[in-house]
Amino acid sequence: MAAITLNVNGSDHQVAPSDGEMLLYVLRERLNLTGTKYGCGEGQCGACTVLIDGHPRRSCRTNVSAAIGHKITTIEGLEQNGKLHPVQQAFIDEEAFQCSYCTPGMIMSAVGLLASNAKPTQDDIVRGMNGNICRCGTYPRIVAAIQRAAKSGGSR
Amino acid sequence: MPNYQWPSADKRKVIGKRMNRVDGPAKASGRAKYTYDTVRENMLYAHSVRCPHAHAKVTSIDTSAAEKLPGVAAVHVVNGSGKEIFWAGTDVVAVAAVDEPTARDAVRLIKVEYEQLPHLVLDFKEPDLAEAEKSEWYKVAEKATQGDPAAGFQQSEVVHEGHYGSPVITHCCLETHGSIAEWPDSDHMFLHISTQNVPGIGEQVANAIGMPAANVHVHQDHVGGGFGSKLGLDPWGVIVGQLSKKTGKPVKMMLDRKPELETAGCRPSAYARVKVGAKKDGTLLAWESYSWGSGGVGGGGSPPLPYVWKVPNQQKQHVNIVNNIGPARAWRAPNHPQACVLTMCPLDDLAAKLNMDTFDFVKKNIDLLDPRSKIYSEELDVADKLMGWKARWHPRGDKTRGPVKRGLGLALHTWGGRGHSSNCDLSIHPDGSVEVKMGTQDIGTGTRTSILQVAADTLGVAIDNIKLLIGDSDYPRDSASGGSSTIGGVSSATFRAAVDAREQLFAKVAPALNAQPADLEVADGKVRVASSPGRSLSWRDACSKLGAQTITTRGTNPDPDKGDLINSGVGGVQMADVSVDTETGIVKINKMVGVQDCGLVISPKQAESQVLGAMIMGVSYALYEEKVMDQTTGTMLNSNMDTYRLAGLGDVGELVVHLMSGPGYDERGVIGIGEPPTVSPGAAISNAVANAIGVRVPYLPLTPDRVLEALETAQTEGGRA
């Protein structure tokens, strides 16, 4: 594949991926954005979740060519002017993680959820987040964090 | 001699406070670096050819095409011609290349031929004892007898017998196993590794490679889950070490999800035929069990049966099945969850046969829970209040109309959790800054936060004032994070280091306050005279009295001269409230209550998180998890996260955690909590399902097909009767 331009976290990046390369690989290996994690490689765990034009997407199953011309946001792009995103802050305040390997994907899914639904019910949160796996088992605190972020205007 | 006892509740300022974890911002921002995220200059990437057979001999290997592939730096034969392979997924040849795709391409170019050998990957069927004694697939443990089992059953007015069990499951850490090795010179190796054992893993890898342990330096900042699977030596740490030595470059190897599930995590199965007997009034008299299970070529664990209960008359026999699945690893409270299912489920069935509420059955026999009878009894009462057990319990089989049936179940468990060997170097600098160095690791349990809470409490300074360094084998030697041993070890070592440093500081500061060192105390960032708090110096001014000297103390656990700050042996009770759809077989958790003793709680928010997480892992193995093996091919059928299903956010219901703390519990000292609450959920949920639908689903996980099968079997048998 020829060199392409990807818009990641508000900046354009030139990369020259191989044919069929997944967005996750490009973000981690070519752009050194390692906040986005490999968990299963098949879109089943959610650790690789990023936003594409504001929608949560599994970057391990997104061919990089499908991301050309779209706005990609990773966990590294949420912080603004040194201030964490309300969802990030809510995860800290509710302590919604242990090992935290799933956390970037969780937070990106939550940001995407709140962007489309600023006041989600418990059921909305379950529906929106059920595909993100936390093996340490912090789910109740994740729900609480999303509710807290929603109250504080978490969709920003 | 200073006082080396934990401060009393009224004196604790930071210990026991609901603090957020100190690594929260790094983790929520994505800045926290895991081994998987680490990149070293000129790093190569490694992948392996893996044996597709469960049992085979390698007969030939041809690596010539891979070696010619541009970008391949080295090919390393792990299991050469003639080597016997004991499970599918075993590394045979490893390749290091300039990037991952090239390494994968090279792996595809390597040709390995095998002679297949007979394999066994199943473990479910009850082994015939006479045959088992003759077969190489089985290791028969000696029969153990206590009291007079025959007399016990004879005196029993009600006897119940049934089959129970739980299958092999995996750890499924979200960060897969792996490591990065590099050789700064020809004698020394630097290892980044995803591990629960920063202090010990270097020595294990060094032994395997054949180099002095002192020449291996290990580092890790964060680990994406371990649960017992990242304690010991893996082939992958050795492979990267050898490939790195060969190439002179850093080499990274992280497992894909498939080999992770096939080879990097396996909790042994345990099945049993259990017979129990009691008097009509519920007095438990007799136990008999014939149990078996497997965890690969090393056999399985041996579940401690009967679990927790000191049944007066008992007889038990266990058979270990030696089979060709990935090797067994410690899985959060090894052997206990299996033993709990094999004990609490038959006792629940016995209680049902006695027409007794299981709660009353446990209370009736509470003396058999020695030495924790009192703890269990108090915990049962707390759990009853939180669940509304007594108000809501009904006999077996929800008689309300409609297909969805609701039920309650309970189980209880124990664990040791005594703190491990630990060392802490604590320095107070003349500018007032404090540094703590420990060769431990934070596996997500909040170890960093707990260490800082202890140090801050003891020195009377803010946590922000303390720099904590962990995760490196160059720091004072600690132990692996396993067996729920970390909190007791690191909290004691930190406390003793801080007490000694504080004493040394008092000696330097006392003249300035016109007092004796023994008259001083720390509080709210000040050093002051205890009897006259107005006579004080700010922490910073006090530390300036050190002149050019830094105080450095070493705190150690255990240290018999400085008291015992820890303990071993906890009890826990859990209750589950479930709904079962008798048309679809789907089990839904409505609510679970976890009541847990863990002595003095250093960091409640972290401790509660451990219990919550353990209960959720419990829901997951109770309802969904099973490593499904295919005897024909010898391979795992569900080695992906689509079909190896884990509990999601919508599966766990309402979870209530209660820690037994305060007077009567705090005095016990600090005890680990990571493992015990993982033990009960399987049995508690299984018992709740039985209470709901009126029949026992004998084996975990309680999948819809098993629930429907149990219902059908009961109907058929009921019809026949």
Side-chain angles (χ1 to χ4, degrees), chain A residues 8 37-38 56-57 74 77-78 96 124 132 142 152 156:
Chain A
V8 184
K37 307 298 186 203
Y38 168 88
R57 294 287 180 261
T74 71
L78 287 185
D124 294 339
N132 284 73
I142 290 167
S152 69
R156 190 156 75 186

Side-chain angles (χ1 to χ4, degrees), chain A residues 29 34 37 39 98-99 139, chain B residues 27 33-34 37 45 257 647:
Chain A
E29 300 295 329
T34 56
K37 307 298 186 203
Q98 284 182 20
C99 90
Y139 296 130
Chain B
K27 287 180 161 178
K33 286 275 182 209
Y34 299 77
D37 302 332
Y45 295 79
R257 179 55 54 189

Side-chain angles (χ1 to χ4, degrees), chain B residues 14 27 52 77 115 186 196 223 228 315 383 427 538 543 607:
Chain B
V14 193
K27 287 180 161 178
V77 175
E115 177 198 343
S186 59
Q196 296 171 244
V223 52
Q315 175 178 312
S427 300
S538 72
C543 294

Side-chain angles (χ1 to χ4, degrees), chain B residues 656-681:
Chain B
V656 179
V657 172
H658 180 92
L659 299 181
M660 302 296 284
S661 58
Y665 286 89
D666 291 0
E667 300 81 35
R668 303 191 66 207
V670 175
I671 317 175
I673 197 175
E675 282 158 298
T678 338
V679 176
S680 273

Side-chain angles (χ1 to χ4, degrees), chain B residues 316-337:
Chain B
K316 54 198 179 180
Q317 169 104 53
H318 184 77
V319 177
N320 259 312
I321 302 176
V322 176
N323 70 3
N324 304 101
I325 62 173
R329 289 168 188 246
W331 193 105
R332 222 169 168 177
N335 296 320
H336 282 229

Side-chain angles (χ1 to χ4, degrees), chain B residues 432-448:
Chain B
S433 61
V434 177
E435 187 176 284
V436 175
K437 267 191 202 168
M438 303 184 82
T440 182
Q441 54 277 315
D442 188 337
I443 61 170
T445 47
T447 301
R448 283 184 177 86

